[in-house]
Amino acid sequence: MDTMFTMLTQSGYTENDFDLIVTGDLGKLGSDILRDLMRKRGIKLGQNYIDCGNIIYDVNQKCYQGGSGCACSATIFNSFIMDKLMSGEYKRIAYLATGALMSTQSCYQGETIPCISHAVIVESPYGGK
């Protein structure tokens, strides 16, 4: 959330300047929490926000919060999103490949699970909005 908020408040772009805003694999719960936290900071994520884990995994699959953020985001970006950028359907996307730095020992040691996200703005010369 902090990376997305910083990108949207310091880049000169608003959430409406993107054809798509993409996160890696926050899952259904994480996406709902992100929308809520962003709304509390004055940014409403609309229909142009998607989460790659939500695209790959259906909530009825009982996979709980999805899979690997780097695998989900790479799979969706290199197929679905790249095709739309190359065809000119998308002009500008914000890509935040979210992920958690998991360790099997962290929970046993009472530590938090650190998370990471880099924000990348990808633009196509072929069209879009």
Side-chain angles (χ1 to χ4, degrees):
M1 187 277 308
D2 186 58
T3 301
M4 184 181 289
F5 181 78
T6 301
M7 179 199 67
L8 291 172
T9 57
Q10 294 185 10
S11 68
Y13 293 116
T14 70
E15 60 276 16
N16 298 317
D17 292 322
F18 295 96
D19 296 300
L20 201 61
I21 299 173
V22 184
T23 53
D25 183 24
L26 299 178
K28 169 79 171 92
L29 177 61
S31 294
D32 291 346
I33 292 170
L34 173 67
R35 283 181 184 278
D36 186 48
L37 291 171
M38 293 296 283
R39 189 181 71 254
K40 287 178 181 177
R41 286 195 164 189
I43 296 173
K44 186 176 181 200
L45 297 176
Q47 296 296 319
N48 64 336
Y49 166 68
I50 64 167
D51 181 74
C52 295
N54 282 342
I55 293 173
I56 294 175
Y57 298 101
D58 184 85
V59 294
N60 297 319
Q61 284 179 284
K62 295 185 181 179
C63 61
Y64 303 99
Q65 294 309 309
S68 163
C70 59
C72 291
S73 59
T75 300
I76 296 300
F77 184 86
N78 289 309
S79 58
F80 171 76
I81 295 170
M82 186 60 80
D83 286 348
K84 292 187 182 295
L85 284 165
M86 296 303 290
S87 72
E89 187 174 339
Y90 291 161
K91 173 68 176 170
R92 181 182 302 119
I93 68 152
Y95 177 64
L96 295 98
T98 51
L101 305 173
M102 303 293 282
S103 166
T104 57
Q105 299 304 308
S106 294
C107 61
Y108 296 118
Q109 297 170 353
E111 297 176 11
T112 62
I113 299 173
C115 299
I116 188 166
S117 176
H118 295 86
V120 178
I121 296 172
V122 182
E123 294 188 356
S124 169
Y126 301 115
K129 284 189 194 179

